[in-house]
């Protein structure tokens, strides 16, 4: 498939009709033309000359081929001399589109302004009884403002294709034919202003989205045997080391090998505050180095990096049609012919049955045709969807399609994995019980060389207490139970209860152990050959934002929050109680989670981060993954929270609810204003300029309401 930028799309309805015409061409069945992004996707086998001809018939044209996919190594073929490399094509297409877009809309506004001045002059001439001059000025205003519409409409009329341009052309010619030059000029000016506002609204939404796509680094300073080589990021390979100076953009995902600095990851995670990074820490391509010099070992080629995937998925998200959009498109297919039939009845029935003047009835019929334009209705959803996706992305919430954004706003149930989602997925010591002052010293000596997660938790506790650690003489690992070590000539043991079978426990010790186990803690016991020195109660630390996030979800109208975990009952109960979910299920295998998620219904989402969560994410009506989770979870999910915590989930749902609310308002406004205008035909009050104003009013309301989604209050 090849992708192209298209300029001159005047409305959503026009884009839909052009797509349908391209689909009728040979090899055109998979064509997609998006009014939201101004992007055309067609088969590489299609005749581009035929495609260009169809676009030109409506005043649209291709401005530049666009690189096939963000974040993919595949390069798409483009016909003729228009082919460019990935970066050049992308930069040129975006720059040219923006420059031309600005010129196109500025030109349209100037045209309308000139026509308005001529119209004002005509009014003055008319008031002084200079009828000929007035007519000439009205005609000039109508021609200047309506020439493009008239040219497209005439072509469509000859093909018996009834678009808005066709309807406007009929109305303008009809008004002029009956001597209503003043009204013809006024209608032309209003329609020109309407088209300008409609295009400007979508362009504003597109630019907000394009701002997210500009965070693409172009080059990298590669270190090669002491030399510094400036190379395109496409040429970076896994294992390469790059130098990133203060203020520069990190070219791809990697690990810091030298240096320390604060790194701004806002473009990737939405985290507004810079994070301190040092050797050994992970960094993302697209994030900005603060004040220090960093050497970074590249862990992912750019095409597989976090930033490249975000850019690819955000662009892709603009192309998906929501259920509401699909319904509106189907509705418009019946609505437009229905309006045409109604217009014919309004024009013919009063003269035939009631003796009304034919000219007056024909005039009202033309007005009904204009009222029936579905453009504002078709525009009701895409501007809101693009604005919502852009706003979510600014917060580090990656929504992979408008359909998922709409669905997110309809949820009533959310299921959570426990480990790594509601908790950090990192064991920590929650309780320490000391029966001997040697506990920390011996525990540190035994665990210091171990990479086991529980050992790391114990070592963090030992180091936090600034304990001096001796070196062990010998260490033996006992599978499944613990470790035996020789320290300072004595034998010590560390492990679970099974590893302490040689001990005689006191009632006090047994009571202490039972209390920790009742809290859902895992026990790590330290002992010598005769007695226990103490123990550590370890648990997976609950994320500090989890409880507040659950409360916010309930406040937003989420009725059920369910925790699904493979952990045992005691731990599950403890975590569920602390975070405040409405229910939980424990000891679940991955396939069990899939079944539970399916039982939750079609207004439920699943959120997780691990490999074992991927099946449940796929099975859920909506899958939400943690951005730093496994690749399989992120790929499977419909929505990705790019930060390594779930605090942004309520924000995501709030944005989605606002988008759905705006779409409902837009549909109501578009249909409501048209209905009011149509009702004016009953007393005979509907005029051409009122018809245009009804469509114009709907367009303005729809556009402004959608663009409010981009506005955020400063906190």
């Amino acid at each position: 498939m090849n992708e192209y930028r298209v300029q001159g799309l005047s409305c959503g309805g026009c884009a839909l009709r052009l797509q349908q015409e391209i689909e009728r061409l040979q090899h055109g069945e998979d064509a997609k033309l998006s009014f939201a992004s101004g992007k055309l996707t067609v088969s590489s086998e299609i005749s581009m000359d035929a495609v260009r001809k169809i676009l030109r018939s409506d005043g649209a044209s291709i401005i530049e081929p666009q690189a096939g996919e963000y974040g993919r190594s595949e390069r798409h073929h483009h016909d003729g001399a228009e082919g460019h490399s990935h970066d050049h094509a992308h930069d040129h297409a975006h720059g040219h589109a923006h420059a031309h877009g600005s010129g196109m809309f500025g030109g349209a506004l100037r045209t309308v302004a000139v026509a308005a001045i001529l119209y004002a002059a005509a009014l003055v001439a008319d008031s002084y009884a200079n009828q000929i001059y007035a007519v000439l000025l009205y005609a000039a205003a109508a021609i200047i403002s309506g020439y493009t519409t008239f040219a497209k409409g005439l072509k469509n009329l000859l093909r018996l294709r009834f678009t808005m341009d066709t309807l406007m052309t009929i109305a303008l010619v009809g008004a002029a034919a009956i001597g209503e030059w003043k009204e013809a000029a006024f209608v032309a000016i209003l329609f020109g202003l309407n088209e300008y506002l409609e295009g400007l609204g979508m362009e504003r939404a597109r630019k907000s989205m394009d701002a997210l796509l500009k965070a693409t680094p172009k080059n990298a300073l590669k270190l090669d045997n002491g030399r510094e080589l400036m190379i395109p990021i496409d040429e970076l390979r896994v294992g390469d080391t790059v130098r990133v100076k203060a203020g520069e953009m990190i070219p791809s995902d990697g690990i810091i090998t030298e240096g320390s600095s604060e790194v701004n990851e806002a473009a990737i995670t939405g985290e507004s505050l810079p994070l301190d990074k040092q050797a050994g820490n992970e960094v993302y391509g697209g994030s900005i180095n603060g004040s220090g010099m960093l050497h970074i070992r590249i862990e992912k080629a750019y095409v597989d990096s976090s930033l490249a995937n975000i850019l690819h998925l955000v662009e892709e998200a603009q192309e998906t049609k929501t259920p509401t959009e699909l319904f509106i498109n189907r509705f418009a297919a019946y609505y437009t012919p229905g309006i045409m039939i109604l217009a014919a009845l309004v024009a013919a029935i009063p003269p035939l049955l009631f003796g009304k003047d034919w000219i007056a009835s024909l005039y009202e019929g033309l007005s009904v045709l204009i009222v029936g334009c579905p453009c504002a209705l078709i525009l009701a959803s895409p501007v809101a969807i693009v604005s919502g996706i852009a706003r979510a992305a600014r917060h580090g919430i990656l929504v992979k399609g408008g359909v998922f954004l709409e669905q997110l706003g309809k949820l009533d149930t959310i299921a959570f994995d426990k480990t790594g989602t509601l908790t950090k997925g990192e064991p920590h010591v929650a309780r320490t019980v000391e029966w001997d002052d040697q506990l920390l010293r011996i525990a540190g000596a035994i665990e210091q060389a171990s990479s086991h997660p529980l050992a790391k938790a114990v070592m963090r506790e030992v180091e936090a207490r600034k304990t001096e650690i001796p070196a062990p003489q010998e260490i033996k690992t006992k599978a499944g139970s613990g470790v035996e070590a020789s320290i300072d000539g004595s034998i010590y043991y560390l492990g679970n209860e099974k590893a302490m079978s040689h001990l005689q426990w006191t009632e006090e010790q047994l009571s202490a152990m039972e209390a920790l186990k009742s809290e859902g803690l895992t026990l790590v016991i330290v002992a010598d050959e005769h007695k226990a020195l103490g123990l550590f109660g370890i648990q997976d630390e609950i994320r500090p934002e989890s409880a507040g996030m659950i409360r916010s979800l309930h406040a937003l109208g989420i009725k059920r929050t369910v925790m699904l975990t493979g952990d045992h009952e005691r731990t599950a109960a403890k975590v569920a109680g602390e975070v405040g979910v409405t229910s939980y299920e424990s000891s679940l295998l991955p396939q069990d989670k899939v079944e539970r998620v399916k039982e939750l219904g079609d207004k439920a989402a699943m959120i997780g981060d691990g490999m074992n969560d991927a099946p449940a994410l796929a099975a859920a009506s909506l899958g939400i993954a943690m951005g730093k989770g496994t690749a399989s979870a992120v790929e499977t999910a419909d929505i990705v929270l790019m930060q390594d915590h779930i605090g942004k989930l309520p924000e995501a749902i709030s944005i989605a609810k606002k988008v759905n609310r705006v779409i409902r308002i837009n549909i109501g406004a578009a249909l409501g204003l048209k209905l009011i205008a149509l009702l004016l035909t009953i007393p005979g009050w509907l005029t051409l300029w009122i018809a245009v104003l009804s469509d114009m009013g709907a367009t303005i309301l729809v556009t402004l309401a959608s663009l409010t989604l981009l506005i955020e209050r400063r906190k």
Side-chain angles (χ1 to χ4, degrees):
M1 299 296 284
N2 289 348
E3 295 176 2
Y4 301 88
R5 286 284 179 187
V6 176
Q7 67 181 12
L9 295 175
S10 55
C11 68
C14 304
L16 177 63
R17 180 180 47 73
L18 289 172
Q19 175 182 307
Q20 290 168 345
E21 289 191 30
I22 295 171
E23 286 173 348
R24 287 194 284 270
L25 295 175
Q26 186 176 8
H27 307 299
E29 57 275 0
D30 295 324
K32 287 184 174 59
L33 178 59
S34 170
F35 179 58
S37 62
K39 189 170 74 174
L40 170 67
T41 306
V42 291
S43 166
S44 57
E45 299 176 9
I46 200 170
S47 167
M48 288 308 299
D49 287 338
V51 171
R52 289 187 175 93
K53 185 176 180 181
I54 289 173
L55 294 175
R56 280 198 302 270
S57 72
D58 201 64
S61 61
I62 292 171
I63 55 174
E64 189 72 33
Q66 183 183 325
E69 293 183 80
Y70 283 111
R72 303 297 174 204
S73 57
E74 176 183 63
R75 292 177 185 256
H76 289 200
H77 170 76
H78 296 293
D79 57 316
E82 292 177 315
H84 293 269
S85 69
H86 175 98
D87 282 340
H88 181 70
H90 170 66
D91 297 340
H92 190 81
H94 274 273
H96 190 67
H98 288 163
H100 188 93
S102 300
M104 180 174 66
F105 291 118
L109 186 59
R110 282 194 295 272
T111 299
V112 172
V114 170
I117 292 170
L118 290 173
Y119 185 80
L123 289 175
V124 172
D126 207 2
S127 65
Y128 287 98
N130 294 321
Q131 196 66 35
I132 295 176
Y133 293 116
V135 169
L136 290 174
L137 288 170
Y138 283 136
I143 290 169
I144 289 173
S145 187
Y147 171 76
T148 304
T149 299
F150 180 80
K152 289 192 289 186
L154 191 58
K155 287 180 184 176
N156 292 334
L157 187 59
L158 294 173
R159 298 173 186 171
L160 297 179
R161 192 169 67 192
F162 288 89
T163 65
M164 184 56 176
D165 295 314
T166 313
L167 305 183
M168 284 301 302
T169 298
I170 294 171
L172 290 173
V173 171
I178 61 176
E180 292 288 345
W181 287 102
K182 181 193 294 186
E183 191 145 340
F186 190 54
V187 165
I189 292 169
L190 284 180
F191 186 68
L193 182 61
N194 185 45
E195 283 204 316
Y196 166 76
L197 291 172
E198 187 173 324
L200 189 65
M202 180 52 77
E203 184 69 9
R204 176 68 182 84
R206 286 177 190 155
K207 282 185 177 180
S208 180
M209 181 64 74
D210 284 343
L212 298 168
L213 307 178
K214 289 180 180 177
T216 313
K218 302 295 184 295
N219 300 300
L221 192 63
K222 178 183 174 181
L223 301 180
D224 185 18
N225 296 321
R227 296 183 302 159
E228 293 185 354
L229 302 175
M230 186 64 73
I231 63 172
I233 58 169
D234 286 347
E235 296 180 14
L236 280 178
R237 299 292 179 263
V238 174
D240 286 349
T241 297
V242 297
R243 174 178 289 169
V244 182
K245 299 175 183 177
E248 291 184 343
M249 188 177 289
I250 294 170
S252 191
D253 297 5
I255 302 291
I256 297 174
T257 59
E258 185 180 321
S260 62
S261 181
E262 67 278 7
V263 175
N264 188 333
E265 297 182 344
I268 309 300
T269 67
E271 176 61 58
S272 57
L273 297 177
L275 302 175
D276 291 329
K277 300 278 185 173
Q278 55 193 355
N281 289 157
E282 184 181 24
V283 289
Y284 297 115
S287 50
I288 306 296
N289 181 21
S291 56
M293 177 82 74
L294 298 177
H295 287 193
I296 299 169
R297 184 179 68 249
I298 299 301
E299 297 292 310
K300 290 182 180 178
Y302 173 71
V303 293
D304 299 317
S305 68
S306 301
L307 177 62
N309 281 321
I310 288 172
L311 298 182
H312 166 65
L313 291 169
V314 167
E315 261 230 331
E316 205 173 57
Q318 298 177 72
E319 310 310 317
T320 59
K321 292 264 193 304
T322 69
T324 300
E325 285 182 278
L326 294 172
F327 169 76
I328 289 173
N329 290 341
R330 287 195 302 270
F331 177 74
Y334 296 99
Y335 166 85
T336 305
I339 286 291
M340 292 177 66
I341 292 170
L342 178 62
L345 294 175
V346 168
I349 288 179
L352 289 174
L353 299 183
F354 306 108
K356 188 173 180 178
D357 180 64
W358 274 99
I359 296 295
S361 291
L362 180 61
Y363 178 86
E364 286 194 353
L366 294 175
S367 300
V368 169
L369 279 180
I370 295 174
V371 170
C373 171
C375 290
L377 183 63
I378 292 173
L379 195 67
S381 183
V383 181
I385 290 294
V386 172
S387 299
I389 290 174
R391 179 169 172 177
R394 287 205 301 253
H395 286 271
I397 304 158
L398 179 58
V399 184
K400 294 185 181 180
V403 61
F404 306 124
L405 186 66
E406 189 172 294
Q407 195 172 357
L408 182 64
K410 297 177 181 178
L411 295 178
D412 61 17
T413 302
I414 300 180
F416 296 87
D417 169 55
K418 179 183 75 68
T419 306
T421 303
L422 292 173
T423 67
K424 290 184 176 180
E426 185 178 88
H428 85 294
V429 175
R431 299 278 190 277
T432 302
V433 179
E434 294 186 58
W435 293 315
D436 189 293
D437 58 11
Q438 292 291 305
L439 171 66
L440 295 174
R441 182 172 175 271
I442 299 303
I446 296 174
E447 298 284 49
Q448 61 184 325
S450 175
S451 60
H452 193 282
L454 295 183
K456 290 182 177 180
V458 170
M459 283 308 300
R460 283 193 293 271
E461 179 71 8
V462 170
E463 290 166 359
R465 302 277 196 96
K466 298 181 179 179
T467 305
E468 184 179 341
I469 303 171
Q473 282 77 54
E474 185 181 7
I475 293 181
K476 297 178 183 177
T477 301
K478 296 182 176 180
S481 60
V483 179
E484 180 183 317
S486 175
I487 303 171
D488 298 333
S490 299
I491 302 298
Y492 293 93
Y493 303 89
L494 181 147
N496 55 27
E497 289 178 81
K498 191 190 299 183
M500 307 297 162
S501 57
H502 64 288
L503 297 180
Q504 295 292 321
W505 299 99
T506 66
E507 287 296 326
E508 179 189 354
Q509 290 173 335
L510 289 172
S511 177
M513 288 193 291
E514 192 58 38
L516 294 187
K517 285 192 286 186
S518 69
E519 293 181 28
L521 303 180
T522 299
L523 303 187
V524 173
I525 305 166
V526 181
D528 59 22
E529 294 181 283
H530 308 290
K531 66 181 185 302
L533 305 181
L535 53 86
F536 301 95
I538 298 178
Q539 69 175 9
D540 185 3
E541 186 175 1
I542 295 173
R543 292 180 181 273
E545 69 272 14
S546 291
M549 179 271 304
I550 294 293
R551 287 195 298 272
S552 296
L553 291 180
H554 291 160
L556 282 169
I558 301 298
K559 297 174 183 176
R560 289 189 296 170
T561 48
V562 184
M563 187 181 77
L564 305 176
T565 179
D567 217 332
H568 56 77
E569 166 67 23
R570 283 182 174 178
T571 300
K574 183 176 186 296
V575 173
E578 289 191 26
V579 302
V581 292
T582 54
S583 62
Y584 70 92
E585 292 192 48
S586 59
S587 304
L588 298 176
L589 296 173
Q591 56 266 35
D592 298 326
K593 288 186 181 180
V594 170
E595 292 304 315
R596 298 300 187 279
V597 165
K598 287 180 178 178
E599 293 168 3
L600 293 176
D602 59 2
K603 289 188 178 181
M606 171 71 189
I607 176 167
D609 76 317
M611 179 77 73
N612 64 341
D613 296 322
L617 292 175
S621 296
L622 193 69
I624 305 173
M626 307 288 285
K628 291 186 181 178
T630 63
S632 60
V634 172
E635 284 293 322
T636 304
D638 306 311
I639 295 172
V640 181
L641 305 177
M642 295 309 297
Q643 293 178 324
D644 190 31
H645 63 72
I646 52 177
K648 289 292 185 181
L649 184 56
E651 179 75 20
I653 292 175
S654 177
I655 290 171
K657 285 181 176 290
K658 287 175 184 174
V659 168
N660 288 351
R661 185 165 60 249
V662 165
I663 290 173
R664 288 194 298 270
I665 291 171
N666 286 351
I667 293 172
L671 291 177
L673 286 175
K674 290 179 184 299
L675 179 61
I676 291 170
L678 290 175
L679 290 175
L680 293 178
T681 59
I682 297 173
W685 295 344
L686 182 62
T687 62
L688 288 174
W689 67 268
I690 289 178
V692 175
L693 276 179
S694 71
D695 188 64
M696 184 178 178
T699 298
I700 292 172
L701 286 175
V702 163
T703 302
L704 292 181
S706 297
L707 293 180
T708 59
L709 292 164
L710 295 171
I711 301 171
E712 297 186 54
R713 294 179 182 175
R714 292 185 178 181
K715 297 180 180 179

